[in-house]
């Protein structure tokens, strides 16, 4: 039996005196801080930015601190129901702050009124927050008096919530807490256990930090504070001495990444944006001097049958000979037979153009979920039901490199990208993503998208190329470091060298074989085992 005098985080009152409104406010504020920790939202003076507070950068320490506040609140919750509400308020603020850029796409480009667009963002965040409300309720129900097992229970439940959000109902794992740890003491773990594994370690670190600050009682004695501090220190030190994975270099490739900066308001307008896009990209593709040039998603914003006469034939002739190749984002198919969001590869010596079809489609943008036609009818965004590509598609092989494509937010789904790494001999040596983030204006979506690419680079030990319409267009090396980036909202041809990599990280090896199941089973085993221990 738990004593009602057991207290949680030192700032909060015992359960018998818990104040629901005060705790809810603290949970909201802590959730907002966690949103800031994933991608710092403000530009800072130079002397401060040198310490890591650049706009868009993750703040690992702030993430652990913010989540430790939630853990302390849960420890002080008066009931399972109150814990669920605290987890929900925290996650509502965190997720709403992380995906606030959706407001721009729905209001400015979709035509929704400002209040309706705000409500839509909040509704999505509120729905996703239910995963964490459930995790918080389960934690409050099963927690015990042992600090280390409590931390393991909290980490396991948080892991299940993160994976549920990232996989179920098409999945939307944008803003997982692991993205705050691209640098810091947990980053060496990424090549071993990936984003979700690091998210679990971050949750465990937050629980240990919270318990190390607790006021001692007969249920939470002072030795628990010492145990929590020691295990937290061991967790940090283990990351520092963790063996680094070592792949091999497959040579350098000269690439040019095109950023057309086509205004989203006019992108699909046949009198403005379409002619501008076709002309600018044709000029750049014809003038390209690199071994490979990559355009953004739907750089050519019309179907093949709608291109000007001779346009496609001239591009094919341009890359039919010589030592240059192109990867071009455009929709493929027809209105009558269906179409896909595709990337087309042109290179010398091919009988047919290489093709990649996007397989993980965006709800409401590329397909309309059942029962939601009414919502999409409210918006003026050109929507359609796109056809899906297969999960594993051939790489684009060029000058000794094997390039694997992803379109838009597909690089969010690491477990799907891992399917390309089942065989070391055929695994990609370079990853690339084409996207159009103009839908989201000046918000942090661009920086968050870049951080997603950096996480994939660390998980798979591969360089990552990003070609976007308005930014951030960048070259990321296999260590997750940004080597070059184009200024946002400018028409730019970014040229640089990318060095391919061979070999498989531990994460790529087990994820390609078993997917997320090892993490799911481990987390469930922890929860079930600790719940049985509590009953005893």
């Amino acid at each position: 039996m738990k004593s009602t005098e057991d207290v949680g985080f030192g700032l909060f009152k015992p359960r018998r005196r818990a104040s629901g409104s005060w705790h809810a406010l603290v949970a909201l504020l802590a959730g907002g801080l966690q949103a800031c920790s994933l991608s710092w939202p403000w530009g800072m003076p130079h002397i401060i930015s040198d310490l890591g507070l650049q706009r868009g950068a993750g703040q690992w320490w702030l993430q652990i601190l913010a989540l430790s506040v939630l853990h302390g609140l849960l420890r002080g919750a008066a009931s399972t129901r109150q814990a669920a509400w605290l987890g929900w308020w925290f996650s509502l603020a965190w997720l709403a702050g992380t995906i606030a850029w959706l407001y721009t796409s729905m209001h400015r480009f979709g035509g929704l009124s400002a209040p309706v667009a705000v409500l839509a963002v909040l509704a999505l965040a509120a729905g996703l927050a239910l995963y964490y409300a459930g995790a918080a309720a389960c934690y409050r129900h099963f927690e015990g008096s042992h600090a280390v097992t409590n931390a393991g229970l909290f980490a396991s439940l948080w892991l299940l919530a993160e994976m549920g959000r990232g996989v179920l109902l098409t999945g939307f794992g944008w803003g997982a807490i692991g993205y705050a740890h691209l640098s810091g003491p947990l980053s060496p773990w990424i090549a071993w256990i990936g984003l979700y594994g690091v998210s679990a370690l971050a949750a465990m670190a937050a629980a240990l930090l919270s318990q190390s600050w607790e006021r001692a009682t007969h249920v939470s004695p002072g030795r628990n504070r010492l145990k929590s501090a020691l295990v937290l220190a061991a967790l940090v030190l283990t990351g520092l001495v963790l063996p680094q994975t070592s792949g091999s270099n497959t040579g350098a490739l000269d690439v040019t990444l095109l950023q057309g900066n086509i205004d989203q308001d006019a992108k699909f307008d046949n009198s403005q944006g379409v002619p501008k896009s076709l002309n600018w990209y044709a000029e750049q593709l014809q003038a390209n001097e690199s071994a490979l040039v990559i355009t953004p998603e739907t750089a050519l914003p019309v179907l093949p049958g709608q291109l000007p006469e001779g346009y496609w034939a001239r591009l094919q002739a341009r890359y039919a000979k010589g030592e240059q190749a192109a990867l071009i984002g455009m929709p493929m198919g027809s209105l009558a037979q269906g179409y896909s969001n595709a990337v087309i590869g042109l290179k010398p010596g091919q009988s047919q153009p290489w093709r990649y079809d996007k397989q993980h489609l965006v709800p409401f943008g590329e397909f309309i979920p059942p029962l939601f036609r009414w919502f999409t009818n409210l918006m003026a965004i050109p929507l359609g039901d796109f056809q899906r590509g297969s999960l594993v598609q051939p790489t684009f092989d060029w000058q000794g490199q094997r390039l694997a494509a992803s379109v838009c937010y597909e690089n969010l789904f690491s477990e799907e990208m891992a399917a390309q790494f089942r065989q070391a001999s055929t695994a990609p040596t370079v990853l690339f993503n084409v996207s159009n983030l103009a839908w989201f204006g000046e918000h942090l979506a661009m920086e968050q998208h870049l951080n997603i690419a950096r996480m994939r680079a660390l998980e798979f030990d591969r360089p990552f190329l990003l070609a976007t319409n308005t930014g951030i267009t960048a070259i990321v090396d296999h260590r997750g470091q940004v080597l070059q980036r184009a200024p946002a909202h400018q028409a730019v041809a970014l040229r640089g060298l990318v060095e391919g990599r061979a070999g498989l990280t531990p994460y790529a090896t087990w994820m390609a074989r078993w997917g997320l199941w090892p993490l799911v089973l481990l987390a469930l085993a922890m929860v079930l085992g600790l719940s049985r221990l509590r009953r005893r």
Side-chain angles (χ1 to χ4, degrees), residues 277-278 281-282 285 296 298-302 307 311-312 315 328-331:
S277 295
L278 296 180
Y281 284 109
L285 288 165
T298 59
L300 309 186
V302 294
L307 288 169
Y311 186 97
W312 188 246
L315 285 180
I328 303 170
M330 61 183 296

Side-chain angles (χ1 to χ4, degrees), residues 21-360:
S21 58
W22 163 247
H23 284 191
L25 176 60
V26 174
L28 280 169
L29 293 175
L33 288 177
Q34 178 152 288
C36 293
S37 76
L38 298 172
S39 187
W40 188 251
W42 301 288
M44 304 296 290
H46 183 69
I47 188 171
I48 299 179
S49 65
D50 287 344
L51 300 177
L53 285 177
Q54 304 99 332
R55 175 179 165 85
Q59 308 298 323
W60 63 269
W61 57 272
L62 183 58
Q63 185 280 310
I64 292 176
L65 179 62
L67 191 56
S68 73
V69 173
L70 173 64
H71 180 270
L73 288 168
L74 298 180
R75 293 274 288 165
S79 65
T80 300
R81 180 179 178 182
Q82 186 187 31
W85 276 110
L86 290 171
W88 187 82
W89 285 117
F90 175 92
S91 302
L92 175 67
W94 154 44
L95 295 171
T98 302
I99 61 173
W101 37 264
L102 285 172
Y103 168 86
T104 301
S105 62
M106 290 187 285
H107 173 57
R108 178 179 170 186
F109 301 117
L112 288 182
S113 66
V116 173
V118 169
L119 287 175
V121 173
L122 290 176
L124 176 59
L128 296 175
L130 292 175
Y131 290 105
Y132 304 93
C138 289
Y139 177 72
R140 170 63 182 83
H141 180 73
F142 291 123
E143 66 163 328
S145 59
H146 192 280
V148 178
T149 55
N150 278 342
L153 175 65
F154 184 73
S156 299
L157 290 167
W158 191 273
L159 174 61
L160 290 171
E162 289 277 44
M163 290 190 294
R165 178 168 70 95
V167 174
L168 300 179
L169 301 175
T170 79
F172 190 57
W174 198 288
I177 62 174
Y179 288 113
H181 296 271
L182 290 165
S183 60
L186 297 183
S187 62
W189 286 96
I190 294 173
W192 292 80
I193 57 177
L195 167 72
Y196 288 124
V198 168
S199 295
L201 291 184
M204 186 172 186
L208 292 168
L209 178 63
S210 168
Q211 291 175 123
S212 69
W213 289 348
E214 283 185 0
R215 178 157 57 91
T217 68
H218 68 277
V219 176
S220 179
R223 64 176 178 271
N224 269 348
R225 299 175 63 185
L226 178 60
K227 288 179 181 179
S228 295
L230 290 175
V231 174
L232 180 60
L235 181 63
V236 171
L237 292 175
T238 302
L240 296 178
V241 301
L242 198 67
Q244 295 298 299
T245 58
S246 56
S248 59
N249 194 312
T250 60
L253 181 65
D254 179 19
V255 298
T256 294
L257 309 177
L258 299 182
Q259 179 178 292
N261 194 38
I262 308 299
D263 190 350
Q264 190 62 39
D265 288 314
K267 181 174 173 64
F268 297 101
D269 187 335
N270 288 324
S271 64
Q272 299 181 54
V274 171
K276 182 179 179 180
S277 295
L278 296 180
N279 291 336
W280 192 84
Y281 284 109
E283 291 173 0
Q284 295 297 322
L285 288 165
Q286 292 290 343
N288 173 51
E289 297 180 352
S290 297
L292 178 65
V293 59
I294 306 177
T295 78
E297 176 188 12
T298 59
L300 309 186
V302 294
L303 293 166
Q306 299 169 328
L307 288 169
E309 185 177 355
Y311 186 97
W312 188 246
R314 287 190 292 273
L315 285 180
Q316 286 184 299
R318 165 69 178 82
Y319 291 96
K321 56 185 179 180
E323 298 182 353
Q324 294 171 296
L327 292 163
I328 303 170
M330 61 183 296
M332 291 296 291
S334 66
L335 294 175
Q337 297 179 349
Y339 45 88
S340 66
N341 193 347
V343 181
I344 302 300
L346 301 177
K347 65 179 181 179
Q350 60 184 183
S351 58
Q352 292 291 331
W354 174 87
R355 176 171 168 174
Y356 173 83
D357 295 308
K358 185 180 181 185
Q359 64 90 17
H360 200 122

